[in-house]
Coordinates of all heavy atoms in Angstrom, one line a residue:
M1099 N -83.1 10.9 29.9 CA -82.5 12.2 29.6 C -81.1 12.0 29.0 O -80.8 12.7 28.1 CB -82.4 13.0 30.9 CG -81.8 14.3 30.7 SD -82.9 15.4 29.8 CE -82.0 16.9 29.8
K1100 N -80.4 11.0 29.5 CA -79.0 10.8 29.0 C -79.1 10.4 27.6 O -78.3 10.8 26.7 CB -78.4 9.7 29.9 CG -76.9 9.5 29.6 CD -76.3 8.6 30.5 CE -74.8 8.4 30.2 NZ -74.1 7.5 31.1
Y1101 N -80.1 9.6 27.2 CA -80.3 9.1 25.8 C -80.5 10.3 24.9 O -79.9 10.4 23.8 CB -81.5 8.1 25.7 CG -81.9 7.8 24.3 CD1 -81.2 6.9 23.5 CD2 -83.0 8.5 23.7 CE1 -81.5 6.7 22.2 CE2 -83.3 8.2 22.4 CZ -82.6 7.3 21.7 OH -83.0 7.0 20.4
W1102 N -81.4 11.2 25.3 CA -81.7 12.4 24.5 C -80.4 13.3 24.3 O -80.2 13.8 23.2 CB -82.9 13.2 25.0 CG -84.1 12.4 24.8 CD1 -84.9 11.8 25.8 CD2 -84.8 12.1 23.6 NE1 -85.9 11.2 25.3 CE2 -85.9 11.4 23.9 CE3 -84.6 12.5 22.3 CZ2 -86.8 10.9 23.0 CZ3 -85.4 12.0 21.3 CH2 -86.6 11.3 21.7
L1103 N -79.7 13.5 25.4 CA -78.5 14.3 25.3 C -77.5 13.7 24.3 O -76.9 14.4 23.5 CB -77.9 14.4 26.7 CG -76.7 15.4 26.8 CD1 -77.0 16.7 26.3 CD2 -76.2 15.4 28.3
T1104 N -77.3 12.4 24.4 CA -76.4 11.6 23.5 C -76.9 11.8 22.1 O -76.1 12.0 21.2 CB -76.3 10.1 23.9 OG1 -75.9 10.1 25.3 CG2 -75.3 9.4 23.0
L1105 N -78.2 11.6 21.9 CA -78.7 11.8 20.5 C -78.5 13.2 20.0 O -78.1 13.3 18.8 CB -80.2 11.4 20.6 CG -81.0 11.5 19.2 CD1 -80.4 10.4 18.3 CD2 -82.4 11.2 19.4
I1106 N -78.7 14.2 20.8 CA -78.6 15.6 20.3 C -77.1 15.8 20.0 O -76.8 16.4 19.0 CB -79.1 16.5 21.4 CG1 -80.6 16.4 21.5 CG2 -78.6 18.0 21.1 CD1 -81.2 17.2 22.7
I1107 N -76.2 15.4 20.9 CA -74.8 15.6 20.6 C -74.3 14.9 19.4 O -73.6 15.4 18.5 CB -73.9 15.2 21.9 CG1 -74.2 16.2 23.0 CG2 -72.4 15.2 21.5 CD1 -73.6 15.8 24.3
T1108 N -74.7 13.6 19.2 CA -74.4 12.8 18.1 C -74.9 13.4 16.8 O -74.2 13.6 15.8 CB -74.9 11.4 18.2 OG1 -74.4 10.8 19.4 CG2 -74.5 10.5 17.1
T1109 N -76.1 13.9 16.8 CA -76.7 14.5 15.6 C -76.0 15.8 15.3 O -75.7 16.1 14.1 CB -78.2 14.8 15.9 OG1 -78.9 13.6 16.2 CG2 -78.8 15.4 14.7
A1110 N -75.7 16.6 16.3 CA -74.9 17.9 16.1 C -73.6 17.6 15.5 O -73.1 18.3 14.6 CB -74.8 18.6 17.4
F1111 N -72.9 16.5 15.9 CA -71.6 16.2 15.4 C -71.6 15.7 14.0 O -70.8 16.1 13.1 CB -70.9 15.2 16.3 CG -69.6 14.7 15.8 CD1 -68.4 15.5 15.9 CD2 -69.4 13.5 15.2 CE1 -67.2 15.1 15.4 CE2 -68.2 13.0 14.7 CZ -67.1 13.8 14.8
Y1112 N -72.5 14.8 13.7 CA -72.6 14.1 12.4 C -73.3 14.9 11.3 O -73.1 14.6 10.1 CB -73.2 12.7 12.5 CG -72.2 11.7 13.1 CD1 -72.4 11.2 14.4 CD2 -71.1 11.3 12.4 CE1 -71.5 10.3 15.0 CE2 -70.2 10.4 12.9 CZ -70.4 9.9 14.2 OH -69.5 9.0 14.8
S1113 N -74.1 15.8 11.7 CA -74.9 16.5 10.7 C -74.0 17.2 9.7 O -74.2 17.1 8.4 CB -75.8 17.5 11.3 OG -76.6 18.2 10.4
P1114 N -73.0 18.0 10.1 CA -72.1 18.6 9.1 C -71.3 17.6 8.3 O -71.1 17.8 7.1 CB -71.1 19.5 9.9 CG -71.8 19.7 11.2 CD -72.7 18.4 11.4
V1115 N -70.9 16.5 8.9 CA -70.2 15.4 8.2 C -71.1 14.9 7.1 O -70.7 14.7 5.9 CB -69.8 14.3 9.1 CG1 -69.2 13.2 8.4 CG2 -68.8 14.9 10.1
L1116 N -72.4 14.6 7.4 CA -73.3 14.0 6.4 C -73.6 15.0 5.3 O -73.7 14.6 4.1 CB -74.6 13.6 7.1 CG -74.5 12.4 8.1 CD1 -75.8 12.2 8.8 CD2 -74.0 11.2 7.4
Q1117 N -73.7 16.3 5.7 CA -73.9 17.3 4.6 C -72.7 17.4 3.7 O -72.9 17.6 2.5 CB -74.2 18.7 5.3 CG -75.6 18.7 6.0 CD -75.8 20.0 6.7 OE1 -74.9 20.9 6.8 NE2 -77.0 20.2 7.2
A1118 N -71.5 17.3 4.2 CA -70.3 17.4 3.4 C -70.3 16.2 2.5 O -69.9 16.3 1.3 CB -69.1 17.5 4.3
Q1119 N -70.6 15.0 3.0 CA -70.6 13.8 2.1 C -71.7 13.9 1.1 O -71.5 13.5 -0.1 CB -70.9 12.6 3.0 CG -69.7 12.2 3.8 CD -70.0 11.0 4.7 OE1 -71.2 10.6 4.9 NE2 -69.0 10.4 5.3
S1120 N -72.8 14.5 1.4 CA -73.9 14.7 0.4 C -73.5 15.6 -0.7 O -73.7 15.4 -1.8 CB -75.1 15.2 1.1 OG -76.1 15.5 0.2
A1121 N -72.8 16.7 -0.3 CA -72.3 17.7 -1.3 C -71.2 17.1 -2.2 O -71.2 17.3 -3.4 CB -71.8 18.9 -0.6
T1122 N -70.4 16.3 -1.6 CA -69.3 15.6 -2.3 C -70.0 14.6 -3.3 O -69.6 14.5 -4.5 CB -68.3 14.9 -1.4 OG1 -67.8 15.8 -0.5 CG2 -67.3 14.1 -2.2
G1123 N -71.0 13.9 -2.8 CA -71.7 12.9 -3.7 C -72.3 13.6 -4.8 O -72.3 13.1 -6.0
A1124 N -72.9 14.8 -4.6 CA -73.6 15.5 -5.7 C -72.5 16.0 -6.7 O -72.8 15.9 -7.9 CB -74.4 16.7 -5.1
K1125 N -71.4 16.5 -6.2 CA -70.3 16.9 -7.1 C -69.8 15.7 -7.9 O -69.5 15.9 -9.1 CB -69.2 17.5 -6.3 CG -69.5 18.9 -5.8 CD -68.3 19.4 -5.0 CE -68.6 20.8 -4.3 NZ -67.5 21.3 -3.5
E1126 N -69.6 14.6 -7.3 CA -69.1 13.4 -8.0 C -70.1 13.0 -9.1 O -69.8 12.6 -10.2 CB -68.9 12.3 -7.0 CG -68.4 11.0 -7.6 CD -67.0 11.1 -8.2 OE1 -66.2 12.0 -7.9 OE2 -66.6 10.2 -9.0
Q1127 N -71.4 13.0 -8.7 CA -72.5 12.6 -9.7 C -72.4 13.6 -10.9 O -72.6 13.1 -12.1 CB -73.8 12.6 -9.1 CG -74.0 11.4 -8.1 CD -75.4 11.4 -7.4 OE1 -76.1 12.4 -7.6 NE2 -75.7 10.4 -6.7
A1128 N -72.3 14.9 -10.6 CA -72.2 15.8 -11.7 C -71.0 15.6 -12.6 O -71.1 15.7 -13.8 CB -72.2 17.3 -11.2
H1129 N -69.9 15.2 -11.9 CA -68.6 14.9 -12.7 C -68.8 13.7 -13.6 O -68.4 13.7 -14.7 CB -67.5 14.7 -11.7 CG -66.2 14.3 -12.3 ND1 -65.5 15.1 -13.1 CD2 -65.5 13.1 -12.3 CE1 -64.4 14.5 -13.6 NE2 -64.4 13.3 -13.1
I1130 N -69.4 12.7 -13.0 CA -69.7 11.5 -13.8 C -70.6 11.7 -15.0 O -70.3 11.3 -16.1 CB -70.3 10.4 -12.9 CG1 -69.3 9.9 -11.8 CG2 -70.8 9.2 -13.7 CD1 -68.1 9.3 -12.3
K1131 N -71.6 12.6 -14.8 CA -72.5 12.9 -15.9 C -71.7 13.7 -17.0 O -72.0 13.4 -18.2 CB -73.7 13.7 -15.4 CG -74.7 12.9 -14.7 CD -75.9 13.8 -14.2 CE -76.9 13.0 -13.4 NZ -78.0 13.8 -13.0
E1132 N -70.8 14.5 -16.6 CA -70.0 15.3 -17.5 C -69.1 14.3 -18.3 O -68.9 14.4 -19.5 CB -69.2 16.3 -16.8 CG -68.4 17.2 -17.7 CD -67.6 18.3 -16.9 OE1 -68.2 18.9 -16.0 OE2 -66.5 18.6 -17.3
L1133 N -68.5 13.4 -17.6 CA -67.7 12.4 -18.3 C -68.4 11.6 -19.3 O -68.0 11.3 -20.4 CB -67.0 11.4 -17.2 CG -65.9 12.0 -16.4 CD1 -65.5 11.0 -15.3 CD2 -64.7 12.3 -17.3
I1134 N -69.6 11.2 -18.9 CA -70.5 10.4 -19.8 C -70.8 11.2 -21.1 O -70.6 10.7 -22.2 CB -71.8 10.0 -19.1 CG1 -71.5 8.9 -18.0 CG2 -72.8 9.4 -20.1 CD1 -72.7 8.7 -17.1
T1135 N -71.1 12.4 -20.9 CA -71.4 13.3 -22.1 C -70.2 13.4 -22.9 O -70.3 13.3 -24.2 CB -71.8 14.7 -21.6 OG1 -73.0 14.6 -20.8 CG2 -72.1 15.7 -22.7
D1136 N -69.0 13.6 -22.3 CA -67.8 13.8 -23.1 C -67.4 12.5 -23.9 O -67.0 12.5 -25.0 CB -66.6 14.2 -22.2 CG -66.7 15.6 -21.7 OD1 -67.5 16.4 -22.2 OD2 -65.9 16.0 -20.8
H1137 N -67.6 11.3 -23.2 CA -67.3 10.1 -23.9 C -68.2 9.9 -25.1 O -67.8 9.4 -26.1 CB -67.4 8.9 -22.9 CG -66.2 8.7 -22.0 ND1 -65.0 8.3 -22.5 CD2 -66.1 8.8 -20.7 CE1 -64.1 8.2 -21.5 NE2 -64.8 8.5 -20.4
R1138 N -69.5 10.2 -24.9 CA -70.4 10.0 -26.0 C -70.1 11.0 -27.1 O -70.2 10.6 -28.3 CB -71.8 10.2 -25.5 CG -72.3 9.0 -24.7 CD -73.8 9.0 -24.5 NE -74.1 7.7 -23.9 CZ -74.9 7.5 -22.8 NH1 -75.4 8.6 -22.2 NH2 -75.1 6.3 -22.4
A1139 N -69.7 12.2 -26.8 CA -69.4 13.2 -27.8 C -68.1 12.7 -28.6 O -68.1 12.8 -29.8 CB -69.1 14.6 -27.2
M1140 N -67.1 12.2 -27.9 CA -65.9 11.7 -28.5 C -66.2 10.5 -29.4 O -65.8 10.4 -30.6 CB -64.9 11.3 -27.5 CG -64.2 12.5 -26.8 SD -63.1 12.1 -25.5 CE -61.7 11.5 -26.5
A1141 N -67.1 9.6 -28.9 CA -67.4 8.4 -29.7 C -68.2 8.8 -31.0 O -67.9 8.3 -32.0 CB -68.3 7.5 -28.8
Q1142 N -69.1 9.8 -30.8 CA -69.8 10.3 -32.0 C -68.9 11.0 -33.0 O -69.1 10.8 -34.2 CB -70.9 11.3 -31.5 CG -71.9 11.7 -32.7 CD -72.6 10.5 -33.3 OE1 -73.3 9.7 -32.5 NE2 -72.5 10.3 -34.5
A1143 N -67.9 11.7 -32.5 CA -67.0 12.4 -33.4 C -66.2 11.3 -34.2 O -66.0 11.5 -35.4 CB -66.0 13.3 -32.6
H1144 N -65.8 10.3 -33.5 CA -65.0 9.2 -34.2 C -65.9 8.4 -35.2 O -65.5 8.0 -36.3 CB -64.3 8.3 -33.2 CG -63.1 8.9 -32.6 ND1 -61.9 9.1 -33.3 CD2 -62.9 9.4 -31.4 CE1 -61.0 9.7 -32.6 NE2 -61.6 9.9 -31.4
E1145 N -67.1 8.2 -34.8 CA -68.1 7.4 -35.6 C -68.3 8.3 -36.9 O -68.4 7.7 -38.0 CB -69.4 7.2 -34.9 CG -70.4 6.4 -35.7 CD -70.0 5.0 -36.2 OE1 -69.2 4.4 -35.5 OE2 -70.6 4.5 -37.2
N1146 N -68.5 9.6 -36.7 CA -68.7 10.4 -37.9 C -67.5 10.4 -38.8 O -67.6 10.4 -40.0 CB -69.0 11.9 -37.5 CG -70.4 12.0 -36.8 OD1 -71.3 11.1 -37.0 ND2 -70.7 13.0 -36.1
A1147 N -66.3 10.4 -38.2 CA -65.1 10.3 -39.0 C -65.0 9.0 -39.8 O -64.6 9.0 -41.0 CB -63.8 10.5 -38.1
A1148 N -65.4 7.9 -39.2 CA -65.4 6.6 -39.8 C -66.4 6.6 -41.0 O -66.0 6.2 -42.1 CB -65.7 5.5 -38.9
K1149 N -67.5 7.2 -40.8 CA -68.5 7.2 -41.9 C -68.1 8.2 -43.0 O -68.3 7.9 -44.2 CB -69.9 7.7 -41.3 CG -70.6 6.7 -40.4 CD -71.9 7.3 -39.8 CE -72.5 6.2 -39.0 NZ -73.8 6.7 -38.4
C1150 N -67.4 9.2 -42.6 CA -66.9 10.1 -43.6 C -65.8 9.4 -44.5 O -65.9 9.5 -45.7 CB -66.2 11.3 -42.9 SG -65.5 12.5 -44.0
L1151 N -64.9 8.7 -43.9 CA -63.9 7.9 -44.6 C -64.6 6.8 -45.5 O -64.2 6.6 -46.7 CB -62.9 7.2 -43.7 CG -62.0 8.2 -43.0 CD1 -61.2 7.5 -41.8 CD2 -61.0 8.8 -44.0
E1152 N -65.6 6.2 -45.0 CA -66.4 5.2 -45.8 C -67.1 5.8 -47.0 O -67.2 5.2 -48.0 CB -67.4 4.5 -44.9 CG -66.8 3.5 -43.9 CD -67.9 3.0 -43.0 OE1 -68.9 3.6 -42.7 OE2 -67.6 1.9 -42.4
S1153 N -67.4 7.1 -46.9 CA -68.1 7.7 -48.0 C -67.2 8.1 -49.1 O -67.6 8.5 -50.2 CB -68.8 9.0 -47.5 OG -67.9 10.0 -47.2
G1154 N -65.9 8.0 -48.8 CA -64.9 8.3 -49.9 C -64.4 9.7 -49.9 O -63.7 10.1 -50.8
K1155 N -64.7 10.5 -48.9 CA -64.3 12.0 -48.9 C -62.8 12.1 -48.8 O -62.3 13.1 -49.1 CB -65.0 12.7 -47.8 CG -66.4 13.0 -48.0 CD -67.0 13.9 -46.9 CE -68.5 14.2 -47.0 NZ -69.0 15.0 -45.9
G1156 N -62.1 11.1 -48.2 CA -60.7 11.2 -48.1 C -60.3 11.5 -46.7 O -61.0 12.2 -45.9
E1157 N -59.1 11.1 -46.4 CA -58.5 11.3 -45.0 C -58.4 12.7 -44.6 O -58.8 13.1 -43.5 CB -57.2 10.6 -44.9 CG -56.6 10.6 -43.5 CD -55.3 9.8 -43.4 OE1 -54.8 9.3 -44.4 OE2 -54.8 9.8 -42.3
K1158 N -57.9 13.6 -45.5 CA -57.7 15.0 -45.2 C -59.0 15.7 -44.8 O -59.1 16.3 -43.8 CB -57.0 15.7 -46.3 CG -56.5 17.1 -46.0 CD -55.7 17.7 -47.2 CE -55.3 19.1 -46.8 NZ -54.5 19.7 -47.9
A1159 N -60.0 15.5 -45.6 CA -61.3 16.1 -45.4 C -61.9 15.6 -44.1 O -62.5 16.4 -43.3 CB -62.2 16.0 -46.6
C1160 N -61.9 14.3 -43.9 CA -62.5 13.7 -42.8 C -61.8 14.0 -41.5 O -62.5 14.2 -40.4 CB -62.6 12.1 -43.0 SG -63.7 11.7 -44.4
H1161 N -60.5 14.1 -41.5 CA -59.8 14.4 -40.3 C -60.0 15.9 -40.0 O -59.9 16.3 -38.8 CB -58.3 14.0 -40.4 CG -58.1 12.6 -40.1 ND1 -56.9 12.0 -40.1 CD2 -59.0 11.6 -39.7 CE1 -57.1 10.7 -39.8 NE2 -58.3 10.4 -39.5
A1162 N -60.2 16.7 -41.0 CA -60.5 18.1 -40.7 C -61.8 18.3 -40.0 O -62.0 19.1 -39.1 CB -60.5 18.9 -42.1
E1163 N -62.8 17.5 -40.4 CA -64.1 17.4 -39.7 C -63.9 16.9 -38.3 O -64.5 17.4 -37.3 CB -65.1 16.6 -40.5 CG -65.6 17.2 -41.8 CD -66.5 16.2 -42.5 OE1 -67.2 15.3 -41.9 OE2 -66.7 16.4 -43.7
L1164 N -63.1 15.9 -38.1 CA -62.8 15.3 -36.8 C -62.2 16.4 -35.9 O -62.5 16.5 -34.7 CB -62.0 14.1 -36.9 CG -61.6 13.4 -35.6 CD1 -62.8 12.9 -34.8 CD2 -60.7 12.2 -35.8
Q1165 N -61.3 17.1 -36.4 CA -60.6 18.2 -35.6 C -61.6 19.2 -35.1 O -61.5 19.6 -34.0 CB -59.5 18.9 -36.5 CG -58.3 18.0 -36.6 CD -57.2 18.7 -37.5 OE1 -57.4 19.8 -37.9 NE2 -56.2 18.0 -37.8
K1166 N -62.5 19.6 -36.0 CA -63.6 20.5 -35.5 C -64.4 19.9 -34.4 O -64.7 20.6 -33.4 CB -64.4 20.9 -36.7 CG -63.8 21.8 -37.7 CD -64.7 22.1 -38.9 CE -64.0 22.8 -40.0 NZ -64.9 23.0 -41.2
A1167 N -64.8 18.7 -34.6 CA -65.7 18.0 -33.6 C -64.9 17.8 -32.3 O -65.6 17.8 -31.2 CB -66.2 16.7 -34.1
C1168 N -63.6 17.6 -32.3 CA -62.9 17.3 -31.1 C -62.3 18.5 -30.4 O -61.7 18.4 -29.3 CB -61.7 16.4 -31.5 SG -62.2 14.7 -31.8
K1169 N -62.4 19.7 -31.0 CA -61.8 20.9 -30.4 C -62.3 21.1 -29.0 O -63.5 21.2 -28.7 CB -62.2 22.1 -31.2 CG -61.4 23.4 -30.8 CD -61.6 24.5 -31.8 CE -60.7 25.7 -31.3 NZ -60.8 26.7 -32.3
G1170 N -61.3 21.1 -28.0 CA -61.7 21.3 -26.6 C -62.2 20.0 -25.9 O -62.6 20.1 -24.8
L1171 N -62.3 18.9 -26.6 CA -63.0 17.8 -26.1 C -62.0 16.7 -25.6 O -62.1 16.2 -24.5 CB -63.9 17.2 -27.1 CG -64.8 16.0 -26.7 CD1 -65.7 16.3 -25.5 CD2 -65.6 15.5 -27.9
G1172 N -61.0 16.4 -26.5 CA -60.1 15.3 -26.1 C -58.6 15.8 -26.3 O -58.3 17.0 -26.4
I1173 N -57.7 14.8 -26.2 CA -56.3 15.1 -26.3 C -55.9 15.3 -27.8 O -56.3 14.4 -28.6 CB -55.5 14.0 -25.6 CG1 -55.8 14.0 -24.2 CG2 -54.0 14.2 -25.9 CD1 -55.2 12.8 -23.4
G1174 N -55.3 16.3 -28.1 CA -54.8 16.5 -29.5 C -56.0 16.9 -30.4 O -57.1 17.2 -30.0
K1175 N -55.6 17.1 -31.7 CA -56.6 17.6 -32.6 C -57.6 16.5 -33.0 O -58.7 16.8 -33.6 CB -55.9 18.1 -33.9 CG -55.0 19.3 -33.6 CD -54.4 19.7 -34.9 CE -53.6 21.0 -34.7 NZ -52.9 21.5 -35.9
T1176 N -57.3 15.2 -32.8 CA -58.2 14.2 -33.2 C -58.7 13.3 -32.1 O -58.9 12.1 -32.2 CB -57.5 13.3 -34.3 OG1 -56.3 12.8 -33.8 CG2 -57.3 14.1 -35.6
C1177 N -58.9 13.9 -30.9 CA -59.5 13.2 -29.7 C -58.6 12.0 -29.4 O -59.2 10.9 -29.1 CB -60.9 12.8 -29.9 SG -62.0 14.2 -30.0
G1178 N -57.3 12.1 -29.4 CA -56.5 11.0 -29.0 C -56.2 9.9 -30.1 O -55.5 9.0 -29.8
M1179 N -56.7 10.1 -31.3 CA -56.5 9.2 -32.4 C -55.1 9.4 -32.9 O -54.6 10.5 -33.2 CB -57.5 9.4 -33.5 CG -57.3 8.5 -34.7 SD -58.2 7.0 -34.3 CE -58.1 6.2 -35.9
R1180 N -54.3 8.3 -33.0 CA -53.0 8.4 -33.6 C -53.1 8.1 -35.1 O -53.9 7.3 -35.5 CB -52.1 7.3 -33.0 CG -51.6 7.6 -31.6 CD -50.6 6.6 -31.2 NE -51.3 5.3 -31.0 CZ -50.8 4.3 -30.5 NH1 -49.5 4.2 -30.1 NH2 -51.5 3.2 -30.3
H1181 N -52.3 8.9 -35.8 CA -52.4 8.7 -37.3 C -51.4 7.6 -37.6 O -50.3 7.5 -37.1 CB -51.9 10.0 -38.0 CG -52.9 11.1 -37.8 ND1 -54.1 11.1 -38.5 CD2 -53.0 12.1 -36.9 CE1 -54.8 12.2 -38.2 NE2 -54.2 12.8 -37.2
H1182 N -51.8 6.7 -38.5 CA -51.0 5.6 -39.0 C -50.2 6.1 -40.2 O -50.8 6.9 -41.1 CB -51.9 4.4 -39.4 CG -52.7 3.9 -38.3 ND1 -52.2 3.1 -37.3 CD2 -54.0 4.2 -37.9 CE1 -53.1 2.8 -36.4 NE2 -54.2 3.5 -36.8
S1183 N -49.0 5.8 -40.3 CA -48.2 6.2 -41.4 C -48.6 5.3 -42.6 O -49.0 4.2 -42.5 CB -46.7 6.1 -41.1 OG -46.4 4.7 -40.8
H1184 N -48.4 5.9 -43.8 CA -48.8 5.2 -45.0 C -47.7 4.4 -45.5 O -46.6 4.5 -45.5 CB -49.2 6.2 -46.1 CG -50.3 7.1 -45.7 ND1 -51.6 6.7 -45.7 CD2 -50.4 8.4 -45.3 CE1 -52.4 7.7 -45.3 NE2 -51.7 8.7 -45.0

């Protein structure tokens, strides 16, 4: 009987703790998936900018496209890309 009482009390105590950890784990996994999506979107935006420059469209036109692709995604207008002075 003592074993069952201990088991019931232990389960009652740890159940909310385990549920909280499970919810935190799910939130963390969702956050990680969002980060992965954002990193891939930023990488694609920069890859497209590089291809644009390779095509000869020019820095101004290509960076305008990059600004559109990066809006709300990264830091600054060009997803954290620093412009090099000429």
Side-chain angles (χ1 to χ4, degrees):
M1099 179 71 178
K1100 188 175 183 181
Y1101 169 78
W1102 290 108
L1103 185 57
T1104 303
L1105 182 62
I1106 291 169
I1107 291 171
T1108 303
T1109 302
F1111 175 75
Y1112 283 109
S1113 182
V1115 173
L1116 293 175
Q1117 287 175 355
Q1119 287 176 348
S1120 177
T1122 301
K1125 287 180 185 178
E1126 180 67 19
Q1127 287 177 355
H1129 175 69
I1130 295 297
K1131 285 182 181 180
E1132 186 177 319
L1133 285 174
I1134 291 167
T1135 299
D1136 289 349
H1137 280 295
R1138 286 195 170 128
M1140 288 177 74
Q1142 187 62 54
H1144 284 287
E1145 180 63 24
N1146 290 344
K1149 288 178 180 179
C1150 180
L1151 289 167
E1152 287 175 334
S1153 75
K1155 287 184 181 179
E1157 184 177 3
K1158 187 175 181 178
C1160 295
H1161 280 180
E1163 289 179 20
L1164 180 61
Q1165 286 178 3
K1166 287 178 188 175
C1168 288
K1169 189 172 185 175
L1171 184 60
I1173 296 171
K1175 293 180 178 181
T1176 55
C1177 294
M1179 180 82 173
R1180 284 187 291 189
H1181 293 280
H1182 302 277
S1183 59
H1184 301 286

